[in-house]
PDB file of all heavy atoms in Angstrom:
ATOM      1  N   GLU A  91      -1.246  -1.281   6.442  1.00  0.00           N
ATOM      2  CA  GLU A  91      -1.800  -0.087   5.808  1.00  0.00           C
ATOM      3  C   GLU A  91      -0.784   1.058   5.846  1.00  0.00           C
ATOM      4  O   GLU A  91      -0.645   1.811   4.893  1.00  0.00           O
ATOM      5  CB  GLU A  91      -3.077   0.298   6.548  1.00  0.00           C
ATOM      6  CG  GLU A  91      -3.960   1.219   5.751  1.00  0.00           C
ATOM      7  CD  GLU A  91      -5.121   1.739   6.591  1.00  0.00           C
ATOM      8  OE1 GLU A  91      -5.747   0.930   7.312  1.00  0.00           O
ATOM      9  OE2 GLU A  91      -5.382   2.942   6.533  1.00  0.00           O
ATOM     10  N   ARG A  95       0.882   3.189   2.815  1.00  0.00           N
ATOM     11  CA  ARG A  95       0.781   4.640   2.855  1.00  0.00           C
ATOM     12  C   ARG A  95       2.156   5.294   2.709  1.00  0.00           C
ATOM     13  O   ARG A  95       2.332   6.249   1.956  1.00  0.00           O
ATOM     14  CB  ARG A  95       0.155   5.006   4.208  1.00  0.00           C
ATOM     15  CG  ARG A  95      -0.281   6.412   4.336  1.00  0.00           C
ATOM     16  CD  ARG A  95      -0.805   6.595   5.760  1.00  0.00           C
ATOM     17  NE  ARG A  95      -1.182   7.960   5.964  1.00  0.00           N
ATOM     18  CZ  ARG A  95      -2.316   8.492   5.536  1.00  0.00           C
ATOM     19  NH1 ARG A  95      -3.188   7.750   4.914  1.00  0.00           N
ATOM     20  NH2 ARG A  95      -2.575   9.767   5.733  1.00  0.00           N
ATOM     21  N   ASN A  98       3.256   5.125  -0.794  1.00  0.00           N
ATOM     22  CA  ASN A  98       2.541   6.100  -1.618  1.00  0.00           C
ATOM     23  C   ASN A  98       3.036   7.525  -1.387  1.00  0.00           C
ATOM     24  O   ASN A  98       3.167   8.300  -2.331  1.00  0.00           O
ATOM     25  CB  ASN A  98       1.041   6.023  -1.358  1.00  0.00           C
ATOM     26  CG  ASN A  98       0.433   4.769  -1.962  1.00  0.00           C
ATOM     27  OD1 ASN A  98       1.018   4.174  -2.879  1.00  0.00           O
ATOM     28  ND2 ASN A  98      -0.701   4.346  -1.452  1.00  0.00           N
ATOM     29  N   CYS A  99       3.316   7.871  -0.114  1.00  0.00           N
ATOM     30  CA  CYS A  99       3.849   9.207   0.192  1.00  0.00           C
ATOM     31  C   CYS A  99       5.146   9.432  -0.582  1.00  0.00           C
ATOM     32  O   CYS A  99       5.352  10.486  -1.183  1.00  0.00           O
ATOM     33  CB  CYS A  99       4.157   9.347   1.678  1.00  0.00           C
ATOM     34  SG  CYS A  99       2.710   9.505   2.719  1.00  0.00           S
ATOM     35  N   ARG A 101       6.260   7.829  -3.291  1.00  0.00           N
ATOM     36  CA  ARG A 101       6.049   7.895  -4.737  1.00  0.00           C
ATOM     37  C   ARG A 101       5.492   9.251  -5.137  1.00  0.00           C
ATOM     38  O   ARG A 101       5.899   9.823  -6.147  1.00  0.00           O
ATOM     39  CB  ARG A 101       5.109   6.771  -5.182  1.00  0.00           C
ATOM     40  CG  ARG A 101       5.860   5.471  -5.463  1.00  0.00           C
ATOM     41  CD  ARG A 101       4.957   4.460  -6.135  1.00  0.00           C
ATOM     42  NE  ARG A 101       3.952   3.948  -5.230  1.00  0.00           N
ATOM     43  CZ  ARG A 101       4.193   2.996  -4.335  1.00  0.00           C
ATOM     44  NH1 ARG A 101       5.383   2.445  -4.258  1.00  0.00           N
ATOM     45  NH2 ARG A 101       3.253   2.585  -3.529  1.00  0.00           N
ATOM     46  N   GLN A 102       4.563   9.785  -4.323  1.00  0.00           N
ATOM     47  CA  GLN A 102       3.988  11.084  -4.650  1.00  0.00           C
ATOM     48  C   GLN A 102       5.033  12.191  -4.558  1.00  0.00           C
ATOM     49  O   GLN A 102       5.123  13.056  -5.417  1.00  0.00           O
ATOM     50  CB  GLN A 102       2.813  11.406  -3.718  1.00  0.00           C
ATOM     51  CG  GLN A 102       1.574  10.544  -3.948  1.00  0.00           C
ATOM     52  CD  GLN A 102       0.803  10.922  -5.206  1.00  0.00           C
ATOM     53  OE1 GLN A 102       1.340  11.532  -6.120  1.00  0.00           O
ATOM     54  NE2 GLN A 102      -0.459  10.527  -5.275  1.00  0.00           N
ATOM     55  N   ARG A 103       5.832  12.163  -3.492  1.00  0.00           N
ATOM     56  CA  ARG A 103       6.841  13.211  -3.329  1.00  0.00           C
ATOM     57  C   ARG A 103       7.874  13.130  -4.458  1.00  0.00           C
ATOM     58  O   ARG A 103       8.247  14.144  -5.041  1.00  0.00           O
ATOM     59  CB  ARG A 103       7.529  13.082  -1.972  1.00  0.00           C
ATOM     60  CG  ARG A 103       8.411  14.295  -1.638  1.00  0.00           C
ATOM     61  CD  ARG A 103       9.004  14.160  -0.248  1.00  0.00           C
ATOM     62  NE  ARG A 103       9.688  15.364   0.191  1.00  0.00           N
ATOM     63  CZ  ARG A 103      10.972  15.625  -0.053  1.00  0.00           C
ATOM     64  NH1 ARG A 103      11.689  14.761  -0.749  1.00  0.00           N
ATOM     65  NH2 ARG A 103      11.528  16.736   0.377  1.00  0.00           N
ATOM     66  N   ALA A 105       7.423  11.886  -7.423  1.00  0.00           N
ATOM     67  CA  ALA A 105       6.780  12.297  -8.679  1.00  0.00           C
ATOM     68  C   ALA A 105       6.765  13.821  -8.777  1.00  0.00           C
ATOM     69  O   ALA A 105       7.009  14.389  -9.838  1.00  0.00           O
ATOM     70  CB  ALA A 105       5.361  11.743  -8.753  1.00  0.00           C
ATOM     71  N   LEU A 106       6.492  14.459  -7.658  1.00  0.00           N
ATOM     72  CA  LEU A 106       6.483  15.923  -7.631  1.00  0.00           C
ATOM     73  C   LEU A 106       7.873  16.473  -7.965  1.00  0.00           C
ATOM     74  O   LEU A 106       8.025  17.388  -8.772  1.00  0.00           O
ATOM     75  CB  LEU A 106       6.024  16.398  -6.248  1.00  0.00           C
ATOM     76  CG  LEU A 106       5.911  17.897  -6.012  1.00  0.00           C
ATOM     77  CD1 LEU A 106       4.941  18.507  -7.010  1.00  0.00           C
ATOM     78  CD2 LEU A 106       5.434  18.168  -4.590  1.00  0.00           C
ATOM     79  N   SER A 122       4.144  28.193  -4.805  1.00  0.00           N
ATOM     80  CA  SER A 122       3.117  27.153  -4.903  1.00  0.00           C
ATOM     81  C   SER A 122       3.764  25.753  -4.856  1.00  0.00           C
ATOM     82  O   SER A 122       3.233  24.829  -4.243  1.00  0.00           O
ATOM     83  CB  SER A 122       2.314  27.366  -6.181  1.00  0.00           C
ATOM     84  OG  SER A 122       1.979  26.148  -6.770  1.00  0.00           O
ATOM     85  N   GLN A 125       4.919  25.097  -1.304  1.00  0.00           N
ATOM     86  CA  GLN A 125       3.772  24.790  -0.432  1.00  0.00           C
ATOM     87  C   GLN A 125       3.263  23.369  -0.667  1.00  0.00           C
ATOM     88  O   GLN A 125       2.839  22.684   0.262  1.00  0.00           O
ATOM     89  CB  GLN A 125       2.637  25.788  -0.677  1.00  0.00           C
ATOM     90  CG  GLN A 125       2.881  27.127   0.015  1.00  0.00           C
ATOM     91  CD  GLN A 125       1.847  28.167  -0.375  1.00  0.00           C
ATOM     92  OE1 GLN A 125       1.171  28.048  -1.395  1.00  0.00           O
ATOM     93  NE2 GLN A 125       1.734  29.209   0.438  1.00  0.00           N
ATOM     94  N   THR A 126       3.289  22.952  -1.935  1.00  0.00           N
ATOM     95  CA  THR A 126       2.856  21.588  -2.226  1.00  0.00           C
ATOM     96  C   THR A 126       3.849  20.583  -1.640  1.00  0.00           C
ATOM     97  O   THR A 126       3.456  19.578  -1.055  1.00  0.00           O
ATOM     98  CB  THR A 126       2.727  21.375  -3.754  1.00  0.00           C
ATOM     99  OG1 THR A 126       2.040  22.485  -4.314  1.00  0.00           O
ATOM    100  CG2 THR A 126       1.973  20.113  -4.071  1.00  0.00           C
ATOM    101  N   ASP A 128       5.667  21.064   0.960  1.00  0.00           N
ATOM    102  CA  ASP A 128       5.435  21.068   2.417  1.00  0.00           C
ATOM    103  C   ASP A 128       4.425  19.991   2.809  1.00  0.00           C
ATOM    104  O   ASP A 128       4.615  19.260   3.773  1.00  0.00           O
ATOM    105  CB  ASP A 128       4.853  22.415   2.871  1.00  0.00           C
ATOM    106  CG  ASP A 128       5.915  23.509   2.941  1.00  0.00           C
ATOM    107  OD1 ASP A 128       7.113  23.167   2.879  1.00  0.00           O
ATOM    108  OD2 ASP A 128       5.536  24.690   3.038  1.00  0.00           O
ATOM    109  N   VAL A 129       3.348  19.954   2.024  1.00  0.00           N
ATOM    110  CA  VAL A 129       2.270  19.018   2.339  1.00  0.00           C
ATOM    111  C   VAL A 129       2.751  17.568   2.244  1.00  0.00           C
ATOM    112  O   VAL A 129       2.487  16.755   3.119  1.00  0.00           O
ATOM    113  CB  VAL A 129       1.087  19.269   1.375  1.00  0.00           C
ATOM    114  CG1 VAL A 129       0.135  18.109   1.386  1.00  0.00           C
ATOM    115  CG2 VAL A 129       0.372  20.557   1.748  1.00  0.00           C
ATOM    116  N   TRP A 130       3.497  17.276   1.181  1.00  0.00           N
ATOM    117  CA  TRP A 130       3.992  15.894   1.023  1.00  0.00           C
ATOM    118  C   TRP A 130       5.084  15.575   2.031  1.00  0.00           C
ATOM    119  O   TRP A 130       5.172  14.455   2.519  1.00  0.00           O
ATOM    120  CB  TRP A 130       4.443  15.637  -0.419  1.00  0.00           C
ATOM    121  CG  TRP A 130       3.272  15.643  -1.333  1.00  0.00           C
ATOM    122  CD1 TRP A 130       2.953  16.579  -2.260  1.00  0.00           C
ATOM    123  CD2 TRP A 130       2.195  14.691  -1.357  1.00  0.00           C
ATOM    124  NE1 TRP A 130       1.757  16.279  -2.868  1.00  0.00           N
ATOM    125  CE2 TRP A 130       1.280  15.127  -2.337  1.00  0.00           C
ATOM    126  CE3 TRP A 130       1.915  13.507  -0.647  1.00  0.00           C
ATOM    127  CZ2 TRP A 130       0.105  14.423  -2.626  1.00  0.00           C
ATOM    128  CZ3 TRP A 130       0.753  12.818  -0.935  1.00  0.00           C
ATOM    129  CH2 TRP A 130      -0.130  13.268  -1.910  1.00  0.00           C
ATOM    130  N   GLU A 132       5.137  16.656   4.991  1.00  0.00           N
ATOM    131  CA  GLU A 132       4.486  16.372   6.261  1.00  0.00           C
ATOM    132  C   GLU A 132       3.843  14.989   6.275  1.00  0.00           C
ATOM    133  O   GLU A 132       3.949  14.255   7.256  1.00  0.00           O
ATOM    134  CB  GLU A 132       3.443  17.431   6.527  1.00  0.00           C
ATOM    135  CG  GLU A 132       2.865  17.246   7.895  1.00  0.00           C
ATOM    136  CD  GLU A 132       1.737  18.184   8.119  1.00  0.00           C
ATOM    137  OE1 GLU A 132       2.012  19.371   8.255  1.00  0.00           O
ATOM    138  OE2 GLU A 132       0.588  17.717   8.123  1.00  0.00           O
ATOM    139  N   ARG A 133       3.168  14.631   5.183  1.00  0.00           N
ATOM    140  CA  ARG A 133       2.556  13.297   5.104  1.00  0.00           C
ATOM    141  C   ARG A 133       3.633  12.220   5.231  1.00  0.00           C
ATOM    142  O   ARG A 133       3.489  11.245   5.930  1.00  0.00           O
ATOM    143  CB  ARG A 133       1.809  13.105   3.772  1.00  0.00           C
ATOM    144  CG  ARG A 133       0.654  14.021   3.549  1.00  0.00           C
ATOM    145  CD  ARG A 133      -0.524  13.662   4.417  1.00  0.00           C
ATOM    146  NE  ARG A 133      -0.689  14.690   5.421  1.00  0.00           N
ATOM    147  CZ  ARG A 133      -1.555  14.629   6.432  1.00  0.00           C
ATOM    148  NH1 ARG A 133      -2.338  13.584   6.574  1.00  0.00           N
ATOM    149  NH2 ARG A 133      -1.637  15.599   7.293  1.00  0.00           N
ATOM    150  N   ARG A 185      10.494  15.522   9.628  1.00  0.00           N
ATOM    151  CA  ARG A 185       9.969  16.726   8.981  1.00  0.00           C
ATOM    152  C   ARG A 185      11.086  17.749   8.736  1.00  0.00           C
ATOM    153  O   ARG A 185      11.289  18.238   7.628  1.00  0.00           O
ATOM    154  CB  ARG A 185       8.876  17.325   9.887  1.00  0.00           C
ATOM    155  CG  ARG A 185       8.202  18.559   9.369  1.00  0.00           C
ATOM    156  CD  ARG A 185       7.154  18.194   8.340  1.00  0.00           C
ATOM    157  NE  ARG A 185       7.086  19.185   7.279  1.00  0.00           N
ATOM    158  CZ  ARG A 185       6.320  20.266   7.306  1.00  0.00           C
ATOM    159  NH1 ARG A 185       5.532  20.496   8.316  1.00  0.00           N
ATOM    160  NH2 ARG A 185       6.326  21.118   6.309  1.00  0.00           N
TER     161      ARG A 185
ATOM    162  N   LEU B 113      -4.753  16.669  -4.884  1.00  0.00           N
ATOM    163  CA  LEU B 113      -3.320  16.760  -5.195  1.00  0.00           C
ATOM    164  C   LEU B 113      -2.784  15.356  -5.451  1.00  0.00           C
ATOM    165  O   LEU B 113      -2.949  14.464  -4.620  1.00  0.00           O
ATOM    166  CB  LEU B 113      -2.553  17.395  -4.034  1.00  0.00           C
ATOM    167  CG  LEU B 113      -2.815  18.876  -3.775  1.00  0.00           C
ATOM    168  CD1 LEU B 113      -1.991  19.345  -2.587  1.00  0.00           C
ATOM    169  CD2 LEU B 113      -2.502  19.707  -5.017  1.00  0.00           C
ATOM    170  N   ASN B 114      -2.176  15.146  -6.597  1.00  0.00           N
ATOM    171  CA  ASN B 114      -1.706  13.816  -6.949  1.00  0.00           C
ATOM    172  C   ASN B 114      -0.569  13.928  -7.965  1.00  0.00           C
ATOM    173  O   ASN B 114      -0.778  13.793  -9.165  1.00  0.00           O
ATOM    174  CB  ASN B 114      -2.878  12.998  -7.514  1.00  0.00           C
ATOM    175  CG  ASN B 114      -2.537  11.529  -7.610  1.00  0.00           C
ATOM    176  OD1 ASN B 114      -1.376  11.156  -7.788  1.00  0.00           O
ATOM    177  ND2 ASN B 114      -3.543  10.682  -7.493  1.00  0.00           N
ATOM    178  N   PRO B 115       0.650  14.195  -7.470  1.00  0.00           N
ATOM    179  CA  PRO B 115       1.778  14.399  -8.379  1.00  0.00           C
ATOM    180  C   PRO B 115       1.980  13.242  -9.360  1.00  0.00           C
ATOM    181  O   PRO B 115       2.382  13.461 -10.493  1.00  0.00           O
ATOM    182  CB  PRO B 115       2.977  14.505  -7.425  1.00  0.00           C
ATOM    183  CG  PRO B 115       2.414  14.964  -6.131  1.00  0.00           C
ATOM    184  CD  PRO B 115       1.038  14.369  -6.059  1.00  0.00           C
ATOM    185  N   MET B 116       1.669  12.010  -8.920  1.00  0.00           N
ATOM    186  CA  MET B 116       1.874  10.878  -9.830  1.00  0.00           C
ATOM    187  C   MET B 116       0.987  10.987 -11.057  1.00  0.00           C
ATOM    188  O   MET B 116       1.311  10.455 -12.107  1.00  0.00           O
ATOM    189  CB  MET B 116       1.607   9.554  -9.113  1.00  0.00           C
ATOM    190  CG  MET B 116       2.762   9.133  -8.218  1.00  0.00           C
ATOM    191  SD  MET B 116       2.677   7.403  -7.791  1.00  0.00           S
ATOM    192  CE  MET B 116       1.390   7.424  -6.580  1.00  0.00           C
ATOM    193  N   GLU B 117      -0.163  11.664 -10.891  1.00  0.00           N
ATOM    194  CA  GLU B 117      -1.019  11.861 -12.063  1.00  0.00           C
ATOM    195  C   GLU B 117      -0.883  13.275 -12.614  1.00  0.00           C
ATOM    196  O   GLU B 117      -1.712  13.722 -13.407  1.00  0.00           O
ATOM    197  CB  GLU B 117      -2.476  11.536 -11.697  1.00  0.00           C
ATOM    198  CG  GLU B 117      -2.623  10.043 -11.483  1.00  0.00           C
ATOM    199  CD  GLU B 117      -4.019   9.625 -11.060  1.00  0.00           C
ATOM    200  OE1 GLU B 117      -4.937  10.468 -11.092  1.00  0.00           O
ATOM    201  OE2 GLU B 117      -4.164   8.460 -10.705  1.00  0.00           O
ATOM    202  N   PRO B 121      -1.766  22.040  -7.492  1.00  0.00           N
ATOM    203  CA  PRO B 121      -2.811  23.010  -7.126  1.00  0.00           C
ATOM    204  C   PRO B 121      -3.425  23.708  -8.344  1.00  0.00           C
ATOM    205  O   PRO B 121      -4.611  24.010  -8.340  1.00  0.00           O
ATOM    206  CB  PRO B 121      -2.066  24.016  -6.251  1.00  0.00           C
ATOM    207  CG  PRO B 121      -0.840  23.327  -5.790  1.00  0.00           C
ATOM    208  CD  PRO B 121      -0.504  22.278  -6.792  1.00  0.00           C
ATOM    209  N   GLU B 122      -2.606  23.935  -9.385  1.00  0.00           N
ATOM    210  CA  GLU B 122      -3.116  24.670 -10.553  1.00  0.00           C
ATOM    211  C   GLU B 122      -4.159  23.857 -11.310  1.00  0.00           C
ATOM    212  O   GLU B 122      -4.978  24.417 -12.024  1.00  0.00           O
ATOM    213  CB  GLU B 122      -1.978  25.035 -11.517  1.00  0.00           C
ATOM    214  CG  GLU B 122      -1.034  26.113 -11.003  1.00  0.00           C
ATOM    215  CD  GLU B 122      -0.065  25.590  -9.963  1.00  0.00           C
ATOM    216  OE1 GLU B 122       0.174  24.358  -9.941  1.00  0.00           O
ATOM    217  OE2 GLU B 122       0.444  26.389  -9.157  1.00  0.00           O
ATOM    218  N   ASN B 148      -8.353   9.732   2.221  1.00  0.00           N
ATOM    219  CA  ASN B 148      -7.184   8.944   1.805  1.00  0.00           C
ATOM    220  C   ASN B 148      -5.987   9.891   1.698  1.00  0.00           C
ATOM    221  O   ASN B 148      -6.109  11.093   1.945  1.00  0.00           O
ATOM    222  CB  ASN B 148      -7.456   8.246   0.469  1.00  0.00           C
ATOM    223  CG  ASN B 148      -7.897   9.215  -0.613  1.00  0.00           C
ATOM    224  OD1 ASN B 148      -7.582  10.402  -0.574  1.00  0.00           O
ATOM    225  ND2 ASN B 148      -8.624   8.716  -1.593  1.00  0.00           N
ATOM    226  N   LEU B 149      -4.835   9.345   1.331  1.00  0.00           N
ATOM    227  CA  LEU B 149      -3.602  10.134   1.342  1.00  0.00           C
ATOM    228  C   LEU B 149      -3.707  11.419   0.523  1.00  0.00           C
ATOM    229  O   LEU B 149      -3.376  12.507   0.987  1.00  0.00           O
ATOM    230  CB  LEU B 149      -2.446   9.268   0.809  1.00  0.00           C
ATOM    231  CG  LEU B 149      -1.087   9.937   0.730  1.00  0.00           C
ATOM    232  CD1 LEU B 149      -0.606  10.335   2.108  1.00  0.00           C
ATOM    233  CD2 LEU B 149      -0.082   9.009   0.057  1.00  0.00           C
ATOM    234  N   GLU B 150      -4.207  11.300  -0.706  1.00  0.00           N
ATOM    235  CA  GLU B 150      -4.263  12.466  -1.587  1.00  0.00           C
ATOM    236  C   GLU B 150      -5.280  13.485  -1.087  1.00  0.00           C
ATOM    237  O   GLU B 150      -5.044  14.697  -1.153  1.00  0.00           O
ATOM    238  CB  GLU B 150      -4.599  12.031  -3.024  1.00  0.00           C
ATOM    239  CG  GLU B 150      -3.478  11.262  -3.720  1.00  0.00           C
ATOM    240  CD  GLU B 150      -3.316   9.840  -3.226  1.00  0.00           C
ATOM    241  OE1 GLU B 150      -4.297   9.291  -2.656  1.00  0.00           O
ATOM    242  OE2 GLU B 150      -2.218   9.264  -3.363  1.00  0.00           O
ATOM    243  N   GLU B 152      -6.183  13.927   2.051  1.00  0.00           N
ATOM    244  CA  GLU B 152      -5.622  14.574   3.244  1.00  0.00           C
ATOM    245  C   GLU B 152      -4.578  15.611   2.860  1.00  0.00           C
ATOM    246  O   GLU B 152      -4.505  16.692   3.450  1.00  0.00           O
ATOM    247  CB  GLU B 152      -4.959  13.530   4.150  1.00  0.00           C
ATOM    248  CG  GLU B 152      -5.959  12.739   4.965  1.00  0.00           C
ATOM    249  CD  GLU B 152      -5.309  11.569   5.663  1.00  0.00           C
ATOM    250  OE1 GLU B 152      -4.055  11.548   5.767  1.00  0.00           O
ATOM    251  OE2 GLU B 152      -6.046  10.667   6.091  1.00  0.00           O
ATOM    252  N   ALA B 153      -3.758  15.279   1.882  1.00  0.00           N
ATOM    253  CA  ALA B 153      -2.734  16.230   1.434  1.00  0.00           C
ATOM    254  C   ALA B 153      -3.410  17.485   0.897  1.00  0.00           C
ATOM    255  O   ALA B 153      -2.970  18.609   1.159  1.00  0.00           O
ATOM    256  CB  ALA B 153      -1.847  15.583   0.373  1.00  0.00           C
ATOM    257  N   THR B 154      -4.503  17.288   0.156  1.00  0.00           N
ATOM    258  CA  THR B 154      -5.225  18.429  -0.402  1.00  0.00           C
ATOM    259  C   THR B 154      -5.799  19.303   0.715  1.00  0.00           C
ATOM    260  O   THR B 154      -5.690  20.529   0.683  1.00  0.00           O
ATOM    261  CB  THR B 154      -6.361  17.925  -1.322  1.00  0.00           C
ATOM    262  OG1 THR B 154      -5.804  16.981  -2.240  1.00  0.00           O
ATOM    263  CG2 THR B 154      -6.996  19.069  -2.086  1.00  0.00           C
ATOM    264  N   MET B 156      -4.716  19.538   3.754  1.00  0.00           N
ATOM    265  CA  MET B 156      -3.607  20.195   4.445  1.00  0.00           C
ATOM    266  C   MET B 156      -3.145  21.419   3.660  1.00  0.00           C
ATOM    267  O   MET B 156      -2.881  22.478   4.227  1.00  0.00           O
ATOM    268  CB  MET B 156      -2.481  19.173   4.573  1.00  0.00           C
ATOM    269  CG  MET B 156      -1.525  19.376   5.706  1.00  0.00           C
ATOM    270  SD  MET B 156      -2.294  19.858   7.248  1.00  0.00           S
ATOM    271  CE  MET B 156      -3.531  18.583   7.451  1.00  0.00           C
ATOM    272  N   TYR B 157      -3.080  21.270   2.366  1.00  0.00           N
ATOM    273  CA  TYR B 157      -2.683  22.390   1.506  1.00  0.00           C
ATOM    274  C   TYR B 157      -3.661  23.550   1.675  1.00  0.00           C
ATOM    275  O   TYR B 157      -3.262  24.703   1.828  1.00  0.00           O
ATOM    276  CB  TYR B 157      -2.639  21.922   0.044  1.00  0.00           C
ATOM    277  CG  TYR B 157      -2.201  22.977  -0.923  1.00  0.00           C
ATOM    278  CD1 TYR B 157      -0.843  23.175  -1.184  1.00  0.00           C
ATOM    279  CD2 TYR B 157      -3.127  23.775  -1.584  1.00  0.00           C
ATOM    280  CE1 TYR B 157      -0.424  24.154  -2.075  1.00  0.00           C
ATOM    281  CE2 TYR B 157      -2.718  24.751  -2.481  1.00  0.00           C
ATOM    282  CZ  TYR B 157      -1.368  24.941  -2.715  1.00  0.00           C
ATOM    283  OH  TYR B 157      -0.959  25.898  -3.589  1.00  0.00           O
ATOM    284  N   ARG B 160      -3.486  25.452   5.097  1.00  0.00           N
ATOM    285  CA  ARG B 160      -2.404  26.450   5.134  1.00  0.00           C
ATOM    286  C   ARG B 160      -2.745  27.664   4.291  1.00  0.00           C
ATOM    287  O   ARG B 160      -2.491  28.799   4.662  1.00  0.00           O
ATOM    288  CB  ARG B 160      -1.121  25.818   4.588  1.00  0.00           C
ATOM    289  CG  ARG B 160      -0.675  24.662   5.440  1.00  0.00           C
ATOM    290  CD  ARG B 160       0.834  24.652   5.576  1.00  0.00           C
ATOM    291  NE  ARG B 160       1.200  23.633   6.551  1.00  0.00           N
ATOM    292  CZ  ARG B 160       1.717  22.466   6.216  1.00  0.00           C
ATOM    293  NH1 ARG B 160       1.963  22.185   4.960  1.00  0.00           N
ATOM    294  NH2 ARG B 160       2.006  21.585   7.145  1.00  0.00           N
ATOM    295  N   LEU B 161      -3.339  27.402   3.120  1.00  0.00           N
ATOM    296  CA  LEU B 161      -3.646  28.477   2.187  1.00  0.00           C
ATOM    297  C   LEU B 161      -4.722  29.408   2.749  1.00  0.00           C
ATOM    298  O   LEU B 161      -4.687  30.622   2.556  1.00  0.00           O
ATOM    299  CB  LEU B 161      -4.137  27.847   0.879  1.00  0.00           C
ATOM    300  CG  LEU B 161      -4.067  28.685  -0.376  1.00  0.00           C
ATOM    301  CD1 LEU B 161      -2.616  29.023  -0.692  1.00  0.00           C
ATOM    302  CD2 LEU B 161      -4.701  27.936  -1.537  1.00  0.00           C
ATOM    303  N   THR B 178     -11.000   5.301   6.892  1.00  0.00           N
ATOM    304  CA  THR B 178      -9.854   5.906   6.233  1.00  0.00           C
ATOM    305  C   THR B 178      -9.443   5.052   5.045  1.00  0.00           C
ATOM    306  O   THR B 178      -9.688   3.860   5.001  1.00  0.00           O
ATOM    307  CB  THR B 178      -8.652   6.040   7.186  1.00  0.00           C
ATOM    308  OG1 THR B 178      -8.447   4.785   7.796  1.00  0.00           O
ATOM    309  CG2 THR B 178      -8.879   7.098   8.219  1.00  0.00           C
ATOM    310  N   GLU B 204      -1.272  21.349  12.996  1.00  0.00           N
ATOM    311  CA  GLU B 204      -1.294  20.852  11.633  1.00  0.00           C
ATOM    312  C   GLU B 204      -1.154  21.970  10.602  1.00  0.00           C
ATOM    313  O   GLU B 204      -1.094  21.717   9.418  1.00  0.00           O
ATOM    314  CB  GLU B 204      -2.586  20.064  11.381  1.00  0.00           C
ATOM    315  CG  GLU B 204      -2.615  18.732  12.103  1.00  0.00           C
ATOM    316  CD  GLU B 204      -3.830  17.884  11.726  1.00  0.00           C
ATOM    317  OE1 GLU B 204      -4.346  18.045  10.611  1.00  0.00           O
ATOM    318  OE2 GLU B 204      -4.242  17.066  12.563  1.00  0.00           O
TER     319      GLU B 204
END
Side-chain angles (χ1 to χ4, degrees):
Chain A
E91 198 188 315
R95 192 183 177 79
N98 287 339
C99 286
R101 274 190 289 280
Q102 290 286 22
R103 190 177 188 272
L106 181 58
S122 142
Q125 281 173 340
T126 314
D128 283 347
V129 164
W130 292 109
E132 186 186 289
R133 297 287 110 187
R185 181 79 216 271
Chain B
L113 291 179
N114 193 331
M116 282 197 284
E117 290 178 9
E122 289 76 22
N148 54 26
L149 179 63
E150 290 74 22
E152 282 170 16
T154 309
M156 206 42 53
Y157 182 87
R160 298 219 172 105
L161 201 63
T178 50
E204 289 186 27

